[in-house]
Amino acid sequence: MSLTVATDVAGALSVYLARPLTSAINFNSGLIHLLDSKVATGAQCTWTVEFSGQSNAVATAETATYTPSDSTSEIEKLASLGFGKYEKHSAVSGKAERIAAAVPTPPGARSLVGAKNKLLMSRAERSYQRVVRGVASDIYAGVTGQNPEQIVGLAQAVDSTGTYAGLAQGTYSEWASVEDTVTTAALSISAVRETLILPIFNACGKYPTVLAAGSTIFLGLLNLLGSSSDPYVRGIEVPGPGGTVRKLAAGTKAFMIDEIPVILDRDCTAGTIYGLNTEHLWLEQLPTIQYGFSDEEIMAALTMINPAAAGLTDDQLIKIANAIRNPTGILPQFKLLGAVGDQEQVICTSYAQLVVELRNAHGKLAVT
């Protein structure tokens, strides 16, 4: 559906918004909530990768001498990725917006119009959720070389061959992820340990911090643990780049293999278990455009939306203002487009890219 007109909402609004909107849409996402988010500082995501350019030291004679030509060094190369643009557009007719405004809305009722009693705003909120879902899907499935440009997802970035971020595994052998296969019949906790977890440690010196799988493999691994006790953990905490920590709220379906959480992700590549090191994996995004709102203007808006905000302290309001300016997760840019007659439009846009900083810190196990 494109433009929202009066006939689209009249039945849903009825005569009294007594209850909140009940959505039958599955907006659930997994891994995206464990990834750290960085704001880009340039036109592309760039970082420097070091590859082996010299050998290890050996025992040396006491009288050894050197000349400049004896010097060796490691190899530093620039990795680079562009940004994918993810966008959804919403439009509402003036009549539909006025019908929504005319229907009485008791306290707590949010059917269609949302907390701000604006139909266009409710459409914009749903657009943002669709942007998040698009990014979450391409975190796995996006590929390079597309027009328009996409996020380069894990299916391509975490691989034992090929080029990623402009660096070729054929040139730099360390630019390879762990990759192996196991049959469904042979899938076991030991197989995950021996073909995924330990090989990642051998490749980079670190264990993966999280394993991700789709529903079929997730349940297959879970069944291997037996049913004598509840295997689920109630919360996940994983390290992020630069010492940050990301948490996934209690109630998330996850269990442990060798103290590594296994998460269920609907977007995970079919038939694949990913072993990921969240210290070397993040989302990088172009910053949103700020239009010069002061703390006072943001606080005034907050108190208009919710009068209870007037009772907050100045420090609390400043923290809320900073959270609005610097959100975590997917950074949306909402922009009102020019009106077309008696129709209002809003567009939600995010520019994002997944950065797999060290390719050999991650791996995947295909279950065939």
Side-chain angles (χ1 to χ4, degrees):
M1 184 172 65
S2 53
L3 173 70
T4 297
V5 297
T7 53
D8 297 325
V9 298
L13 288 169
S14 186
V15 294
Y16 192 64
L17 294 181
R19 294 181 177 85
L21 171 70
T22 301
S23 178
I25 304 168
N26 183 357
F27 286 115
N28 175 65
S29 300
L31 180 63
I32 192 172
H33 299 297
L34 283 178
L35 296 181
D36 203 19
S37 180
K38 295 186 179 184
V39 177
T41 56
Q44 290 192 312
C45 307
T46 57
W47 67 103
T48 304
V49 183
E50 184 179 70
F51 299 108
S52 296
Q54 57 181 327
S55 58
N56 295 333
V58 295
T60 306
E62 182 180 355
T63 57
T65 60
Y66 301 96
T67 65
S69 62
D70 295 321
S71 174
T72 60
S73 63
E74 312 297 357
I75 301 169
E76 295 90 18
K77 290 294 179 180
L78 182 69
S80 180
L81 292 169
F83 292 96
K85 178 184 179 183
Y86 294 81
E87 189 170 74
K88 290 299 294 184
H89 168 263
S90 301
V92 174
S93 74
K95 185 177 181 180
E97 190 70 84
R98 292 188 184 197
I99 287 175
V103 175
T105 305
R110 296 290 180 262
S111 182
L112 287 188
V113 296
K116 293 186 179 181
N117 296 328
K118 297 290 184 182
L119 186 59
L120 185 62
M121 181 62 72
S122 73
R123 295 295 189 254
E125 289 173 357
R126 279 296 183 263
S127 291
Y128 170 64
Q129 289 175 301
R130 288 297 185 179
V131 167
V132 173
R133 284 294 309 130
V135 171
S137 176
D138 274 3
I139 281 176
Y140 289 96
V143 295
T144 190
Q146 299 300 298
N147 186 16
E149 194 166 13
Q150 297 179 353
I151 286 173
V152 182
L154 294 173
Q156 182 173 347
V158 177
D159 200 87
S160 60
T161 61
T163 296
Y164 171 68
L167 301 175
Q169 179 273 335
T171 304
Y172 308 103
S173 60
E174 289 160 314
W175 201 231
S177 301
V178 168
E179 186 174 4
D180 210 332
T181 60
V182 63
T183 64
T184 302
L187 180 63
S188 65
I189 302 301
S190 294
V192 174
R193 181 183 298 121
E194 294 166 7
T195 60
L196 185 63
I197 296 174
L198 288 179
I200 291 175
F201 174 80
N202 291 334
C204 72
K206 296 182 178 181
Y207 290 105
T209 55
V210 66
L211 305 179
S215 58
T216 300
I217 296 177
F218 182 88
L219 290 175
L221 291 173
L222 185 59
N223 289 335
L224 293 172
L225 296 178
S227 57
S228 57
S229 62
D230 182 2
Y232 292 119
V233 294
R234 301 306 177 195
I236 299 172
E237 183 174 294
V238 297
T244 61
V245 175
R246 300 287 291 180
K247 297 180 180 181
L248 207 56
T252 298
K253 291 295 186 183
F255 57 91
M256 295 287 192
I257 294 180
D258 292 354
E259 298 186 350
I260 301 169
V262 184
I263 65 167
L264 170 61
D265 196 335
R266 63 185 290 203
D267 296 304
C268 187
T269 309
T272 304
I273 307 170
Y274 285 95
L276 304 171
N277 192 313
T278 49
E279 291 182 279
H280 302 290
L281 179 69
W282 68 84
L283 276 172
E284 192 157 320
Q285 302 175 74
L286 290 175
T288 57
I289 301 170
Q290 302 301 334
Y291 292 101
F293 293 115
S294 66
D295 285 350
E296 290 75 17
E297 289 171 321
I298 292 177
M299 293 172 195
L302 286 172
T303 54
M304 288 178 62
I305 297 167
N306 183 4
L312 299 175
T313 66
D314 288 344
D315 287 344
Q316 289 172 323
L317 286 169
I318 289 172
K319 287 181 180 179
I320 294 171
N322 287 336
I324 293 172
R325 284 203 185 89
N326 303 290
T328 58
I330 301 302
L331 306 181
Q333 180 71 56
F334 291 101
K335 183 178 181 181
L336 285 171
L337 304 181
V340 180
D342 190 26
Q343 301 164 9
E344 294 290 339
Q345 307 174 76
V346 65
I347 196 165
C348 177
T349 307
S350 179
Y351 294 87
Q353 185 55 262
L354 180 71
V355 176
V356 179
E357 184 185 30
L358 288 180
R359 214 178 181 198
N360 62 2
H362 317 274
K364 61 185 176 183
L365 178 62
V367 182
T368 61

